[in-house]
Amino acid sequence: RLEGTAATVALAISQGADIVRVHDVREMKKVAVITDAIVRGYNAKT
């Protein structure tokens, strides 16, 4: 379940999502920050 959620969050962010709703907040925050850094060029700070 965690890997599927991570993939979905990364894909959503790469397609322009700014907000995602998840249950595993700590883990998905890391995915979101890293995906932002890759896709949008943001400074990756967790």
Side-chain angles (χ1 to χ4, degrees):
R1 186 185 89 195
L2 192 60
E3 293 86 356
T5 301
T8 303
V9 167
L11 183 61
I13 291 171
S14 71
Q15 295 297 310
D18 292 319
I19 299 171
V20 292
R21 183 180 183 275
V22 297
H23 295 284
D24 304 301
V25 176
R26 183 177 301 140
E27 295 86 350
M28 293 310 114
K29 179 183 178 196
K30 292 177 184 179
V31 172
V33 169
I34 292 168
T35 304
D36 269 340
I38 293 168
V39 174
R40 300 176 183 177
Y42 292 166
N43 186 10
K45 292 183 181 177
T46 54

